[in-house]
Amino acid sequence: MPATAAGPRAAVVAGYDDSDSARLAVRWAARRAAAVKRPLEVVHAWVWPVFTSNLGPVGGVAGSGLRHAAETIRDSGAAIARAAAPGLTVTARMLPGLPAQVLQDAARGAALLVVGRRGLGGVLGRIAGSVCADLAASAPCPLMVVRRLTLPGQPVTAAIDADPARTAVVAQAAALAAATGTGLEILHVAPERGARRAGDAFLADAVAEARCLAPGLDVTGALIPGRHVARELSAAAAGADVLVLGTHHRGTGPGNTVSAVLNQAPCNVLIIRKDPCAPGG
C-alpha cells in the first residue's frame, strides 16, 4: 500500500466479530500493518443496540450483559492483533450499528479495510446481510477480503478491463507484490476475438505501467479467452496469494463480476473502488 491520498500514517482498519474468519482477518491485517508501518484499528460492530435497549448486566450476575459481551469481543480482537504483530500500535473500538455501515464509516481516511470472508452467521447474519458484498460497493478505501493468511512466494494477480481507471488496480497490485517480494501477473478476460486483439494492447500497457511503478518487479500479462469473467478469473487465480480487481459500480451493489469473484475465488481478494470520488488508498 503506497502512501496516497489516505496519508502516510493512515491506519489499517480490521472488522472483528469473534468468528474464525474475523480472527484470520485480524491476524492478516496486523501483519500487513506492521509490514507497511501503519497503525491498526480493530473495529467491532455492536449490533444489539439496533434491536434492543436491554444492554446492561443481568441483576446479580457479574460480568453479564450484552455490553459486557461486546467489550470482551472488542478486546479479544485487539489481543489477537498484538499477538500477531508484537510492537504494532493497535487500538480497538466498539461502535453501535450493523457491520457494513459501521465499517464503512470507520474506514473513512483509512489506508485499507480488512474483513473476513464470512462473519455473522445464523439469523443475525441474514438480518445484517452480506457484509463483504455491501463493502465491495461502499468502502471508501481499498477492501481486502481475507480467506487465508499470506502464502509466501505466491504471486499477486491483478484483473483489469478496458476502463481507463484500471491504473488504480495496477498501482495497488504492483505495490502489494513489491512489498511481499513476489511476482505480479496481470489478467484480462476477453470473450470475442476482436476484443482479444484490443485486450492485447491495453494488457501490454498495463504490464509496462506496473514495471515502471515497481522497477525490478517480475511482471507478466495473460489474456484469457472466455465469456464467464468471474469464473475465468477465479480459476486463473487458484495459485495466487491475492487477486486484485476494481469495481466502478455506483449502485447499491458491487456488480455481478465482483460479487461472483467474492464467492468463487480461492484466494484473498483486494477490491479497489474505481469511483473518482473514492480515495485511492
Side-chain angles (χ1 to χ4, degrees), residues 182-211:
T182 62
L184 171 62
E185 182 178 38
I186 302 176
L187 305 178
H188 172 63
V189 179
E192 305 292 343
R193 187 173 299 276
R196 293 173 204 169
R197 288 194 294 269
D200 278 331
F202 68 77
L203 188 60
D205 288 343
V207 169
E209 185 175 5
R211 289 173 176 162

Side-chain angles (χ1 to χ4, degrees), residues 43 56 60 96 103 109-110 144 195 208 210 232-233 236:
V43 176
L103 293 175
M144 177 66 79
E232 302 295 347
L233 289 177

Side-chain angles (χ1 to χ4, degrees), residues 35-270:
V36 296
K37 297 179 173 55
R38 293 183 185 272
L40 175 68
E41 184 173 294
V42 177
V43 176
H44 173 56
W46 186 27
V47 299
W48 291 114
V50 177
F51 304 110
T52 181
S53 59
N54 298 319
L55 305 171
V58 177
V61 182
S64 63
L66 295 174
R67 175 181 288 276
H68 178 79
E71 290 169 345
T72 300
I73 291 172
R74 174 200 62 195
D75 294 343
S76 70
I80 289 169
R82 293 186 180 108
L88 177 67
T89 299
V90 179
T91 58
R93 290 199 290 164
M94 181 180 82
L95 302 174
L98 295 178
Q101 185 61 56
V102 165
L103 293 175
Q104 178 185 340
D105 292 342
R108 297 192 190 283
L112 180 69
L113 173 61
V114 183
V115 297
R117 176 63 189 89
R118 299 185 183 279
L120 295 166
V123 175
L124 187 55
R126 291 192 289 273
I127 293 173
S130 172
V131 176
C132 288
D134 286 351
L135 289 173
S138 64
C141 66
L143 171 70
M144 177 66 79
V145 180
V146 174
R147 285 185 180 272
R148 63 193 183 197
L149 293 178
T150 295
L151 298 178
Q154 298 300 103
V156 172
T157 296
I160 63 169
D161 56 24
D163 192 310
R166 68 180 181 271
T167 297
V169 172
V170 172
Q172 289 282 344
L176 183 59
T180 54
T182 62
L184 171 62
E185 182 178 38
I186 302 176
L187 305 178
H188 172 63
V189 179
E192 305 292 343
R193 187 173 299 276
R196 293 173 204 169
R197 288 194 294 269
D200 278 331
F202 68 77
L203 188 60
D205 288 343
V207 169
E209 185 175 5
R211 289 173 176 162
C212 181
L213 289 168
L217 181 66
D218 180 17
V219 185
T220 59
L223 191 144
I224 304 174
R227 294 182 176 275
H228 302 284
V229 176
R231 186 173 67 191
E232 302 295 347
L233 289 177
S234 298
D241 181 37
V242 179
L243 173 61
V244 185
L245 70 162
T247 176
H248 47 75
H249 188 77
R250 291 179 171 80
T252 57
N256 291 336
T257 297
V258 172
S259 293
V261 166
L262 284 174
N263 287 324
Q264 298 174 24
C267 59
N268 298 335
V269 178
L270 176 60

